[in-house]
């Protein structure tokens, strides 16, 4: 074991000369892997300026914002910049029909007006460390998978505890390269993060879902928060006595402007990529998984859109959910199209052929990998069926609120039964979870939910073969002669948990009313569905997934060993990475050229009062008419809005700082261009582009549009 580990560490840190564009690099390895190449491409900083555990470095200005975005610190008073779509649910949660911050924007005019957000966190990385060897301690080759897993977990736990002993820090360990390497992260998590400002949606969401994932882009996708700390500058739960956090580092902001060819880097927390999938895995993704999920979401979005347009309260309640459903619907559509167009499966097959040729020099390995490839082929064929069943559950039935809501009652029934068995005081436990049961009746548009139920039952019925359907759902649909509308209406009418008054009664005394819950038709539908999945789908899908993981670990180690010409970087896994590339337009398709930037002129070109996504409020038109851009104009007097560059980014990189060669902030990453959305599976430097908001547009909106210039005074501008 130890020998393998050591040789892999060597492979990671010495063999590959990297090149810009592709790759999401671990900051602590920049020195070995990237520094030379970065300098060659124009970077003026050393690896130590970007990531250091000995002195303050750029990393100290970067946070993971909430669970899924990135943010950067832009003042010495803890001011935090991220995307509008990352702050969206916070803004929505403070909005009402009367005080509609989503539509009109929100600006705190002083610190006392900044709005707290329960549950929102900002996480700094204190340090990271390769613990591959330590975590593999006492791991024996003959261990069963369960033993291996528990040994790894126990070792990780020990390392994490050790790492934070005597501090207020937190720690976690993550596998890289499918478990060929492990890294420990020590973090500092701030829990009082307040909303400072967000532009109106016509700026922050300009172009809406029509322009989402598309270049040319004109979305002013930013919002501003502030981190608060206790008086000792350490993380603290929300309290009005907390004070603005004084960061170890905040970013300087350059308004000098950018040119094509400029070096840029994006520092943040990319979520998930699968760059080393086997050909059959890519095939399944683009021909089964993506198309099924896309069709289910498309249907749901059509229904939601109709109801949200008809009622303002529904629009506000569902806006964040709609945005996130729409976002990945479109992403998957782009991904499957891009993978097809670029012949991804054939390319993977060519890579695998090449790999086997390299391996042929070693008869033992050659046999091993030929067998492994045959197994990949076979497993994906079988696994695809389960994958499809799971999509119909997760993207279909769970897309209906009533169904998702029934899950709470399953939990409740279990709690009651548990306390009966253990003879504990149920009422006391119940007090803690009681609040979870009213959500449905507060936020759900019932008429819309019914339409979703009808549609999802219908698609479930038509999309899966007889052998793959939940027998109970199948029998219901047969009993209703295929009329899912009548079936869903009956379910909604007869279910007591879907009835506000009836459920309130039931919830007064769940123990006494257990029967009313377990016989409720919506509950029965849920629990029969889940028990089918738990007995006939998940055990198999998890078995395949576990085996695939083992196989990928072997395949990955093989690629690292044999494919000497290629630069390897670990797949994204929501840990801190740096990616770098140049500002660059593209020729995405025949006859089409993308310029590298857009301007306010383009907003006015798109402006259309009849289309929601392209409405522009008068105030911005006035500023445009007067060309009142102040210090934020470019050298031609234009106001730049967004730019594209060849940085390898993914979901989670939203809100990431885009930095110039000196490490100054020039923009905020928020999206990718349509033709390159398959970059999570296969990166193509010719067409993959990340889209960033030009920092000058952000500052213009804060200063000139919102009149919140006092915020600019907190920042350090480089002119
Ligand atoms: N596509 C970008 C990202 O993946 C922005 C999404 C914003 N949401 C939206 N539905 N427009 O996060
Ligand atoms: N928009 C994405 C995000 O929210 C970024 C991307 O997928 O390129 O993280």
């Amino acid at each position: 074991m130890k020998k393998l580990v050591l040789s892999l560490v060597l492979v990671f840190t010495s063999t590959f000369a990297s090149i810009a564009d592709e790759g999401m690099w671990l900051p602590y390895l920049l020195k070995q892997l990237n520094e030379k190449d970065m300098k060659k491409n124009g970077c003026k900083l050393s690896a130590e300026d970007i990531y250091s555990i000995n002195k303050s470095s750029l990393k100290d200005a970067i946070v993971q914002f909430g669970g899924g975005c990135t943010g950067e610190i832009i003042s010495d008073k803890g001011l935090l910049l991220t995307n509008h779509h990352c702050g969206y649910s916070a803004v929505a949660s403070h909005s009402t029909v009367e005080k509609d911050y989503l539509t009109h924007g929100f600006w705190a005019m002083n610190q006392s007006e900044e709005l707290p957000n329960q549950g929102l966190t900002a996480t700094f990385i204190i340090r990271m460390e390769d613990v591959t060897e330590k975590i593999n301690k006492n791991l024996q080759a003959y261990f069963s998978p369960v033993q291996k897993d528990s040994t790894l977990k126990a070792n990780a736990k020990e390392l994490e505890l050790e790492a934070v002993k005597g501090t207020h820090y937190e720690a976690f360990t993550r596998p890289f390269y499918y478990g060929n390497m492990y890294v420990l992260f020590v973090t500092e998590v701030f829990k009082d993060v307040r909303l400072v400002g967000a532009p109106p949606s016509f700026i922050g969401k300009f172009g809406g879902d029509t322009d989402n994932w598309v270049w040319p882009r004109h979305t002013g996708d930013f919002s501003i928060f502030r981190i608060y700390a206790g008086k000792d500058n350490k993380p603290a739960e929300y309290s009005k006595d907390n004070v603005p956090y004084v960061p170890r580092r905040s970013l300087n902001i350059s308004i000098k402007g950018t040119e094509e060819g400029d070096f840029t880097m994006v520092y943040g927390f990319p979520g998930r990529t699968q760059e080393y999938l086997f050909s059959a895995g890519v095939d399944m993704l683009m021909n089964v998984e993506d198309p099924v999920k896309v069709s289910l979401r498309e249907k749901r979005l059509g229904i939601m859109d109709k109801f949200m347009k008809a009622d303002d309260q529904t629009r506000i309640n569902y806006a964040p959910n709609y945005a996130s459903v729409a976002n990945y619907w479109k992403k998957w559509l782009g991904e499957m199209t891009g993978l097809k167009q670029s012949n991804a499966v054939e390319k993977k097959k060519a890579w695998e052929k090449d790999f086997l040729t390299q391996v042929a020099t070693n008869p033992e390995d050659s046999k091993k990998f030929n067998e492994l490839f045959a197994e990949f082929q076979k497993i994906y064929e079988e696994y695809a069926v389960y994958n499809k069943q799971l999509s119909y559950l997760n993207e279909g039935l769970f897309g209906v609120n009533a169904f998702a809501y029934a899950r709470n009652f399953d939990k409740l029934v279990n709690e009651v039964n548990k306390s009966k068995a253990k003879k504990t005081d149920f009422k006391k436990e119940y007090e803690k979870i009681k609040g979870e049961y009213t959500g449905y009746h507060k936020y759900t548009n019932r008429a819309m939910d019914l339409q979703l139920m009808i549609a999802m039952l219908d698609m479930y019925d038509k999309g899966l073969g007889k052998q793959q359907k939940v027998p109970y759902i199948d029998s219901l649909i047969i009993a209703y002669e295929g009329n899912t509308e009548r079936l869903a209406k009956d379910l909604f009418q007869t279910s007591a948990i879907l009835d506000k008054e009836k459920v309130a009664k039931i919830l007064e005394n769940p123990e006494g009313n257990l029967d009313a819950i377990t016989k409720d038709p919506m509950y029965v539908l849920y629990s029969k569905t889940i028990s089918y999945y738990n007995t006939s789908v998940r055990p198999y899908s998890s078995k395949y997934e576990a085996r695939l993981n083992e196989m990928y670990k072997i395949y990955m180690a093989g690629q690292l060993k044999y494919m000497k010409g290629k630069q390897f970087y670990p797949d994204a896994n929501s840990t801190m990475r740096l990616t770098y590339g140049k500002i660059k337009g593209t020729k995405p398709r025949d006859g089409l050229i993308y310029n590298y930037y857009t301007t306010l002129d383009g907003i006015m070109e798109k402006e259309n009062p009849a289309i929601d996504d392209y409405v522009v409020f008068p105030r911005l038109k006035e500023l445009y008419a007067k060309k009142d851009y102040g210090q934020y104009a470019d050298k031609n007097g234009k106001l730049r809005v967004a730019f594209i560059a060849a940085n390898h980014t993914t979901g989670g990189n939203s809100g990431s700082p885009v930095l110039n060669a000196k490490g100054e902030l020039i923009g905020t990453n928020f999206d990718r261009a349509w033709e390159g959305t398959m970059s999570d599976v296969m990166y193509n430097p010719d067409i993959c582009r990340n889209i960033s908001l030009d920092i000058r547009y952000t500052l213009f909106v804060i200063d000139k549009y919102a009149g919140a210039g006092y915020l600019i005074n907190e920042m350090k501008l480089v002119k």
Side-chain angles (χ1 to χ4, degrees):
M1 194 73 219
K2 191 159 170 192
K3 227 167 99 200
L4 171 73
V5 168
L6 280 182
S7 64
L8 279 169
V9 170
L10 276 181
V11 165
F12 294 136
T13 53
S14 68
T15 319
F16 301 102
S18 68
I19 41 158
D21 301 343
E22 181 171 1
M24 302 173 165
W25 306 98
L26 275 159
Y28 77 92
L29 291 176
L30 291 176
K31 180 118 198 115
Q32 291 101 303
L33 290 177
N34 313 90
E35 190 179 49
K36 232 166 93 195
D37 183 57
M38 288 171 74
K39 291 220 159 128
K40 206 179 79 204
N41 280 286
C43 184
K44 299 278 185 284
L45 301 178
S46 69
E48 183 83 359
D49 295 328
I50 298 170
Y51 175 89
S52 171
I53 50 172
N54 303 313
K55 57 168 198 171
S56 109
S57 60
L58 286 178
K59 92 157 165 40
D60 299 318
I62 321 295
V63 295
Q64 185 166 42
F65 180 79
C69 279
T70 303
E72 54 273 16
I73 307 301
I74 52 169
S75 93
D76 289 338
K77 293 183 195 147
L79 209 58
L80 182 160
L81 175 64
T82 186
N83 287 148
H84 182 261
H85 75 265
C86 295
Y88 200 59
S89 22
V91 181
S93 75
H94 296 295
S95 297
T96 59
V97 173
E98 296 76 37
K99 266 190 332 192
D100 187 351
Y101 296 146
L102 282 181
T103 303
H104 301 288
F106 167 80
W107 295 95
M109 281 302 159
N110 56 57
Q111 281 173 14
S112 71
E113 286 178 15
E114 298 175 355
L115 300 172
N117 301 287
Q118 216 197 358
L120 185 60
T121 55
T123 303
F124 289 91
I125 300 295
I126 300 299
R127 65 182 177 89
M128 47 187 100
E129 178 192 341
D130 186 326
V131 291
T132 314
E133 232 181 294
K134 293 181 188 161
I135 210 166
N136 282 303
K137 193 180 73 183
N138 300 330
L139 203 69
Q140 304 300 334
Y142 61 80
F143 275 7
S144 71
V146 178
Q147 272 174 309
K148 273 187 196 161
D149 193 53
S150 63
T151 310
L152 285 176
K153 282 206 178 108
N155 288 347
K157 185 96 229 148
E158 197 183 311
L159 291 168
E160 290 158 10
L161 284 175
E162 180 61 32
V164 300
K165 209 161 80 195
T167 71
H168 65 280
Y169 296 147
E170 299 179 16
F172 59 84
T173 322
R174 289 268 183 288
F176 289 74
Y177 298 105
Y178 292 95
N180 283 298
M181 172 175 154
Y182 283 84
V183 178
L184 171 94
F185 295 82
V186 176
T187 64
E188 185 176 36
V189 185
F190 284 85
K191 299 180 175 106
D192 184 355
V193 181
R194 302 189 197 167
L195 176 63
V196 174
S201 284
F202 91 87
I203 291 177
K205 214 175 176 313
F206 185 78
D209 288 308
T210 318
D211 283 9
N212 192 18
W213 300 108
V214 172
W215 184 258
R217 190 65 158 277
H218 300 87
T219 314
D221 199 342
F222 79 92
S223 59
I224 303 224
F225 289 77
R226 190 189 301 280
I227 301 179
Y228 279 76
K231 296 239 155 58
D232 55 0
N233 207 34
K234 288 192 180 139
E237 295 294 336
Y238 168 79
S239 150
K240 36 178 211 341
D241 301 331
N242 285 348
V243 293
Y245 166 65
V246 181
R248 290 176 198 85
R249 180 70 172 255
S250 72
L251 298 175
N252 292 342
I253 300 175
S254 168
I255 57 169
K256 281 188 181 160
T258 46
E259 299 296 336
E260 188 149 30
D262 281 358
F263 174 88
T264 62
M265 52 194 172
V266 179
Y267 213 163
F269 293 84
R272 179 166 187 250
T273 59
Q274 310 179 76
E275 309 288 348
Y276 307 103
L277 277 186
F278 189 77
S279 52
V282 176
D283 194 337
M284 183 190 87
L285 182 72
M286 67 192 237
N287 291 314
V288 182
E289 189 169 335
D290 280 351
V292 169
K293 294 198 296 198
V294 163
S295 67
L296 288 163
R297 285 200 173 193
E298 196 156 285
K299 188 80 197 174
R300 283 160 54 197
L301 288 167
I303 294 169
M304 287 170 80
D305 188 50
K306 221 177 75 204
F307 282 87
M308 286 167 72
K309 286 221 167 86
D311 176 52
D312 266 350
Q313 192 60 56
T314 307
R315 173 180 58 79
I316 289 175
N317 288 350
Y318 281 89
N321 179 251
Y322 184 94
S324 83
V325 174
N327 191 30
Y328 267 65
W329 157 71
K330 202 164 175 185
K331 151 82 201 301
W332 292 326
L333 191 62
E335 181 175 89
M336 65 195 235
T337 314
L339 288 171
K340 262 184 210 140
Q341 265 163 13
S342 55
N343 295 317
V345 174
E346 282 64 38
K347 283 192 183 133
K348 285 286 183 188
K349 282 189 174 151
W351 169 263
E352 286 147 19
K353 202 169 143 208
D354 192 17
F355 173 77
L356 289 180
T357 313
Q358 304 294 328
V359 179
T361 50
N362 178 331
E364 202 183 313
D365 276 358
S366 178
K367 180 166 175 294
K368 176 170 103 182
F369 284 108
N370 271 294
E371 283 170 9
L372 191 81
F373 281 16
E375 193 182 348
F376 266 128
Q377 205 62 43
K378 181 165 167 294
I379 284 206
Y380 273 112
E381 260 163 47
E382 296 167 11
Y383 175 61
V385 179
Y386 297 102
N387 183 281
K388 192 167 163 183
Q389 286 177 298
L390 285 168
S391 293
Y392 274 97
L393 175 68
N394 295 327
E395 292 297 335
L397 297 175
F398 272 117
V400 184
N401 258 2
F403 188 84
Y405 174 62
R407 181 192 351 221
N408 294 336
F409 289 87
D410 210 33
K411 231 173 83 192
L412 188 59
V413 170
N414 286 336
E415 290 294 332
V416 172
N417 289 334
K418 215 165 67 194
S419 88
K420 267 190 197 150
K422 288 190 182 163
K423 300 200 170 42
T424 54
D425 183 2
F426 173 75
K427 294 211 166 51
K428 223 166 101 198
E429 284 305 303
Y430 184 52
E431 278 310 309
K432 289 187 226 152
I433 52 172
K434 224 168 150 180
E436 292 170 26
Y437 298 94
T438 45
Y440 185 81
H441 301 284
K442 247 192 231 156
Y443 298 111
T444 306
N445 178 321
R446 212 181 136 94
M448 176 176 111
D449 211 37
L450 173 63
Q451 291 308 314
L452 287 169
M453 185 59 136
I454 296 169
M456 290 304 104
L457 283 173
D458 200 50
M459 288 185 77
Y460 191 92
D461 187 45
K462 299 201 168 95
L464 289 171
K466 179 109 186 143
Q467 300 308 318
Q468 299 152 17
K469 283 187 252 192
V470 179
Y472 180 69
I473 297 186
D474 196 35
S475 71
L476 280 180
I477 293 180
I478 290 172
Y480 276 80
E481 294 168 327
N483 189 336
T484 51
E485 180 170 348
R486 211 153 48 78
L487 167 58
K489 280 187 175 154
D490 277 357
L491 274 170
F492 270 58
Q493 251 150 38
T494 51
S495 164
I497 61 175
L498 294 188
D499 182 302
K500 199 173 168 182
E501 271 84 51
K502 287 187 191 148
V503 78
K505 280 249 151 55
I506 292 176
L507 287 173
E508 274 167 23
N509 176 11
E511 281 173 297
N513 293 320
L514 205 58
D515 257 14
I517 301 176
T518 55
K519 294 201 175 113
D520 187 276
M522 187 55 69
Y523 175 83
V524 174
L525 178 76
Y526 173 85
S527 79
K528 292 220 187 243
T529 300
I530 293 307
S531 78
Y532 169 80
Y533 273 87
N534 283 346
T535 51
S536 308
V537 181
R538 286 198 180 113
Y540 302 95
S541 63
S542 328
K543 203 185 79 197
Y544 285 119
E545 282 153 16
R547 178 61 192 145
L548 280 171
N549 249 329
E550 287 171 3
M551 292 163 66
Y552 274 116
K553 181 174 178 185
I554 300 168
Y555 181 32
M556 193 75 236
Q559 293 179 81
L560 289 161
K561 180 169 165 197
Y562 285 101
M563 304 304 269
K564 299 282 187 210
K566 159 133 177 133
Q567 42 147 359
F568 287 93
Y569 54 91
D571 268 318
N573 57 359
S574 292
T575 59
M576 188 179 231
R577 305 294 178 90
L578 185 90
T579 160
Y580 56 100
K582 290 184 172 171
I583 295 184
K584 207 154 53 179
T586 62
K587 292 187 192 149
R589 272 173 273 158
D590 189 32
L592 189 64
I593 295 180
Y594 284 166
N595 187 21
Y596 73 93
Y597 69 88
T598 57
T599 66
L600 186 56
D601 298 27
I603 295 186
M604 297 307 149
E605 275 170 20
K606 285 180 178 174
E607 200 257 290
N608 184 343
I611 302 176
D612 282 355
D613 287 342
Y614 298 122
V615 169
V616 175
F617 286 3
R619 175 148 178 77
L620 187 61
K621 289 193 212 171
E622 276 160 35
L623 291 165
Y624 175 67
K626 285 195 254 159
K627 303 281 174 288
D628 184 6
Y629 310 147
Q631 58 182 343
Y632 311 115
D634 73 2
K635 57 180 190 294
N636 303 316
K638 301 272 180 202
L639 183 63
R640 302 230 183 152
V641 172
F643 62 89
I644 48 176
N647 286 299
H648 190 182
T649 53
T650 186
N653 268 127
S654 270
S656 295
V658 186
L659 305 160
N660 66 14
K662 293 186 196 154
E664 296 157 346
L665 187 67
I666 52 171
T668 314
N669 183 75
F670 70 96
D671 209 6
R672 280 170 282 166
W674 180 249
E675 293 77 8
T677 40
M678 87 277 190
S679 66
D680 291 349
V681 181
M682 193 174 274
Y683 187 87
N684 176 350
D686 295 333
I687 53 173
C688 291
R689 291 291 177 273
N690 68 311
I691 304 179
S692 306
L693 179 61
D694 195 302
I695 196 68
R696 290 168 291 177
Y697 186 56
T698 303
L699 299 176
F700 161 83
V701 172
I702 296 175
D703 189 352
K704 299 270 174 181
Y705 183 90
Y710 71 96
L711 290 174
I712 310 273
N713 299 338
E714 273 187 43
M715 306 173 194
K716 281 169 282 178
L717 302 196
V718 182
K719 300 180 195 177

